[in-house]
């Protein structure tokens, strides 16, 4: 550390770092390496008072005397002004953050899981203590999203936020799209390259993206949305055949987090937050976001469509976002001010998935005989789901014999409820052998 | 207006709007239309106290009693807390803003020309008065760029900013690229569609982009760069032939604003800010930014490469940026705080264009005989400019007769000085009939 440990002048800003993983190590390294620059930007030196860890050892790459496993003791230190929480998961982070806030410390956190379940409780604690609470790193790593939404668009009206906010699944889907690999093969590649965890459930089942969707929806619409409010479908069932069909339709497939403000016929507003794999037209800006990159598209009334793109994960990018928050919180400590506070004044109800209108792609195997297409089309029509495009192709077995047909239907906008009923009715049709997949199509509104 | 004019309670935030053009009208409209939302976000109602205009008339779409041509009187009003300057150009805006700041008003401005020449003077005045000065709308319209650079990346180290920051020229170049039109034709189209002014000089000669480059370089590198420090070349000489050659090289052509921090062998840092048309590889994120859209790519040490994309001009998008700044300034008025201040502590010297290493594209007509390519290559080699790629093709006249050859050379990185000498020497060669164009290539570093 560049500044002596434990000393305090009136001008130093004392920092407690909770967690010393990829992100925490980078945060501590940058505070040390960029001490002079950070001091100039803050107006006072940033000094790490201690680092909270589960295991104290002398091989952690930082002075051992900074390490402590007494988190509560660390955040309570009088010479700590700001607590940086990069340890996850929800507990013990929640307890440590609430304790820090109650004791008047400002808090910077990268903990998306926590902010997605307990933002209300934590924001209230920050409000009561009149201190800063920043969490830019919780969504899309280094990509500034929270600050543009809360500040740059503070005078505008956000209509919709749609993003690729999980690098693991985007890597897998990009691989499937470019190589024709199936899900299992692309997941194995991602694991081998370190892009997927040993247990990829949180990523591939959309839990991580849903946490981020909850945070994005909350700040975009000035309301409170928690992870449980987010409709969620994973991407493990997306097949190589879906990618082939998508390509024929001029699309690719992405796992999207979508937050939308809806207004019904009576003028009543509600908010929808949802995560699912969806077909995206190739000319949509999100279609060309590949590999482990993230991007968030924001549509606002006056600003129009904005896109933010960059690295959504990794130690360095996430540390960059944490450091930005830390410098802002520290500046406020120096100037006696406080950053923008939580404003969830809108208190919008959550729209159930059933009422959400989107377009759908349905891929099914059918009997290869006259009248089948008509029967299939009739089911859509009976449920008032309008068809935009149909593709039918014969299938051949390994011996080269015709063995049925595949029908791909793309609908105009319909509600989820109408489509679910259509799909149920289709599977009861004698001529339909199997419904292979049902995916939504986003990025077009016809 | 939703709130009565001229009244003041302790809780109202009084706003003076200077200018009632496209942007000013939108700002006033949104303050009125979104009064309840803005009040919830600010914590107090925003009330327009008056609108400064050159011409008072009753056809301006706002209550006539709000209009005044006494700008000085308006900004001096005791019930004005924040002055929004959207009138341009440098004067009388400079005088009005300085007067407002001296009287303790916070200032929001969209005036890029002013901020590019007088940022130092204005920032000092804001500092002395301890009030907010925001100018997000001065660069890239609604796209949040200033705030991400000053806040989100406050703990990171920015290496480079490269952007398409002028919609008019990007529209013209996109047209040339997609239709094969020449400059004059594409400019005529842009004018007809309202994308180009009657006198397009500020756009096509790069003055507008240079002003934005000065602002971006200043905030990205915590130093002071003015419009005069920016090396500038316009895009009026880019030809349809250049686009054809660019395409053959896997590139397109964009007018770029580039800001870079350089470190020489002794460790001395300097800053380069420059605007010129350049070849950009088609797989670079800026290559697919077309039409009147803007985009800014930021490369930072920890964050990696980030891109911000959206509408860079127009009344509504610019008003969105102005309103975001206004809400932040108003929140600070309510809470008694103050936003991040100017920090130009780095005080870096400006690197002259001669020392800047980039890649070049040189297109020339030569005599069609043996040995010419060798003679041309020898000149590059003598000036220590290394060639990456050469293309030679025969030219035919209208009668179908060979009438010379065209050589296109793409170099590896070389300094501007070395290349200028090479080009001078080439034009002295007897076998070189004409140097058709010299353009830089950005987005690759080989």
């Amino acid at each position: 550390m560049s500044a002596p440990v434990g000393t305090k002048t009136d001008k130093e800003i004392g920092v407690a770092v909770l967690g010393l993983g990829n992100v925490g190590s980078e945060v501590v390294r940058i505070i040390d390496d960029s001490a002079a620059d950070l001091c100039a930007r803050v107006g006072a030196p940033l000094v790490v008072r201690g680092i909270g860890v589960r295991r104290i050892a002398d091989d952690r790459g930082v002075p051992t005397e900074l390490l402590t496993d007494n988190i509560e003791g660390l955040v309570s230190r009088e010479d700590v002004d700001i607590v940086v929480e990069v340890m996850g998961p929800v507990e013990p982070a929640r307890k440590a953050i609430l304790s820090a806030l109650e004791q008047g410390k400002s808090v910077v956190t990268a903990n998306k899981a926590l902010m997605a379940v307990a933002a209300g409780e934590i924001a209230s604690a920050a409000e009561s203590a009149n201190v800063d609470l920043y969490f830019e790193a919780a969504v899309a790593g280094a990509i500034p999203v929270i600050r543009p939404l809360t500040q740059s668009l503070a005078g505008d009206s956000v209509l919709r936020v749609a993003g690729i906010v999980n690098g693991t699944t985007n890597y897998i889907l990009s691989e499937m799209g470019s190589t024709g690999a199936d899900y299992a093969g692309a997941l194995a590649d991602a694991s081998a390259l370190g892009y997927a965890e040993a247990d990829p459930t949180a990523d591939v089942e959309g839990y991580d993206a849903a946490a981020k969707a909850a945070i994005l929806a909350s700040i975009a619409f000035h309301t409170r949305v928690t992870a449980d409010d987010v409709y969620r479908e994973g991407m493990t069932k997306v097949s190589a055949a879906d990618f082939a069909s998508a390509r024929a339709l001029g699309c690719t497939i992405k796992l999207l987090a979508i937050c939308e403000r809806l207004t019904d016929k009576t003028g009543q507003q509600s908010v929808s937050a949802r995560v699912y794999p969806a077909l995206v037209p190739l000319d949509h800006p999100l279609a060309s976001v590949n590999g482990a990159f993230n991007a968030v598209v924001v549509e606002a009334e006056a600003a129009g469509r904005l896109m933010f793109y960059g690295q959504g994960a990794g130690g360095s990018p996430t540390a960059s976002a944490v450091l930005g928050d830390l410098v802002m919180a520290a500046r406020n400590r120096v100037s006696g001010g406080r950053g923008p506070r939580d404003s969830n004044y809108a208190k919008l109800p959550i729209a159930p998935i059933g009422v959400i209108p989107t377009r759908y792609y349905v891929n099914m195997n059918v009997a290869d005989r006259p009248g089948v297409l008509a029967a299939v089309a009739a089911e859509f029509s009976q449920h008032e789901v309008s068809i935009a495009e149909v593709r039918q192709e014969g299938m051949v077995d390994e011996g080269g014999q015709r063995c049925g047909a595949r029908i791909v239907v793309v609908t105009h906008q319909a509600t989820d409820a109408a489509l679910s009923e259509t799909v149920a009715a289709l599977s009861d049709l004698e001529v339909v052998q199997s419904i292979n997949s049902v995916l939504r199509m986003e990025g077009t509104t016809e």
Side-chain angles (χ1 to χ4, degrees), chain A:
Chain A
M1 300 298 98
S2 55
V5 182
T7 62
K8 184 178 189 227
T9 76
D10 281 349
K11 289 201 132 189
E12 284 178 356
I13 299 292
V15 180
V17 178
L18 310 185
L20 193 61
N22 286 341
V23 179
S25 306
E26 269 297 282
V27 167
V28 171
R29 185 190 67 73
I30 295 173
I31 291 177
D32 193 33
D33 285 359
S34 305
D37 270 331
L38 295 175
C39 178
R41 295 175 198 172
V42 168
L46 290 180
V47 182
V48 175
R49 304 293 185 197
I51 303 169
V53 291
R54 262 175 303 189
R55 177 180 67 86
I56 297 175
D58 53 11
D59 61 350
R60 305 294 301 261
V62 297
T64 313
E65 65 270 25
L66 283 178
L67 299 179
T68 175
D69 55 8
N70 179 0
I71 305 283
E72 183 56 36
L74 175 58
V75 305
S76 303
R77 275 176 64 156
E78 252 188 53
D79 61 358
V80 164
D81 302 289
I82 304 174
V83 171
V84 172
E85 187 276 306
V86 286
M87 62 183 173
V90 173
E91 294 293 358
R94 183 181 147 279
K95 186 159 164 282
I97 287 176
L98 287 173
S99 167
L101 293 169
E102 278 157 22
Q103 295 177 76
K105 323 294 190 189
S106 297
V107 167
V108 173
T109 176
N111 197 326
K112 57 196 165 257
L114 174 63
M115 289 307 292
V117 298
E121 181 184 20
I122 292 172
S124 298
E127 198 58 39
S128 302
N130 196 32
V131 294
D132 283 332
L133 166 68
Y134 289 134
F135 50 95
E136 180 69 76
V139 180
I143 311 170
V145 177
I146 305 289
R147 197 162 267 114
L149 281 171
T150 50
Q151 299 191 33
S152 308
L153 291 166
D156 205 333
S157 186
V158 176
L159 305 170
R160 188 180 159 95
V161 179
I164 293 171
V165 293
N166 180 275
T168 302
T169 49
N170 200 47
Y171 181 87
I172 294 170
L173 290 170
S174 299
E175 275 283 292
M176 292 176 71
S178 64
T179 67
D182 62 6
Y183 167 70
L187 173 62
D189 281 357
S191 300
L193 289 163
Y195 288 129
E197 311 255 355
D199 176 1
T201 308
D203 295 316
V204 301
E205 294 297 351
Y207 290 100
D208 174 82
K212 292 163 179 170
I215 297 171
L216 287 172
S218 298
I219 59 169
F221 305 123
H222 307 277
T223 189
R224 189 71 71 210
V225 177
T226 68
D228 288 343
D229 296 325
V230 181
Y231 176 80
R232 181 191 51 73
E233 286 177 25
M235 45 67 73
T236 58
K237 287 177 194 154
V238 175
S239 66
D242 289 328
F243 268 99
S245 297
R247 204 171 304 120
L249 294 162
C251 292
T252 187
I253 300 173
K254 296 291 184 188
L255 184 73
L256 300 181
I258 298 172
C259 312
E260 227 169 1
R261 188 154 48 86
L262 305 168
T263 308
D264 72 13
K265 287 168 195 163
T266 70
Q268 173 65 45
Q269 295 201 333
S270 63
V271 57
S272 161
R274 47 197 206 265
V275 168
Y276 43 65
L279 277 72
V280 178
L282 289 172
D283 61 0
H284 190 280
L286 291 176
S288 47
V289 175
N290 287 316
F293 279 83
N294 280 196
V296 176
V297 171
V298 176
E299 288 169 40
E301 224 163 81
R305 186 193 268 181
L306 302 170
M307 184 165 90
F308 307 91
Y309 169 92
Q311 288 178 259
S316 281
T318 308
S320 171
V322 168
L323 261 293
D325 281 353
L326 174 57
V327 167
M328 297 316 295
R331 276 186 186 171
N332 288 340
R333 286 271 157 175
V334 169
S335 71
R338 200 191 145 192
R341 58 202 65 198
D342 191 55
S343 76
N344 62 325
Y345 66 86
K347 304 196 194 320
L348 301 178
I350 306 295
I353 188 71
V355 306
I356 306 298
T358 58
R359 302 185 68 190
Y360 294 84
Y361 147 96
V362 183
N363 181 318
M364 64 199 112
N365 287 0
V366 296
D368 189 9
R369 60 172 193 252
V372 170
L373 186 55
V376 164
E379 285 301 339
F380 280 90
S381 152
Q382 268 169 38
H383 294 89
E384 298 191 345
V385 177
S386 169
I387 292 176
E389 189 171 348
V390 179
R391 286 165 177 268
Q392 180 169 214
E393 54 190 40
M395 295 189 298
V396 289
D397 64 18
E398 284 167 13
Q401 298 295 308
R402 297 272 298 208
C403 62
R406 173 175 294 136
I407 291 180
V408 170
V409 175
V410 176
T411 75
H412 288 296
Q413 282 208 333
T415 62
D416 198 274
L419 191 89
S420 297
E421 287 164 21
T422 309
V423 170
L426 283 172
S427 31
D428 286 346
L429 279 188
E430 183 256 327
V431 295
V432 173
Q433 294 162 351
S434 61
I435 308 278
N436 303 316
S437 47
V438 180
L439 292 169
R440 289 174 187 78
M441 180 184 278
E442 294 283 347
T444 68
T445 50
E446 301 91 85

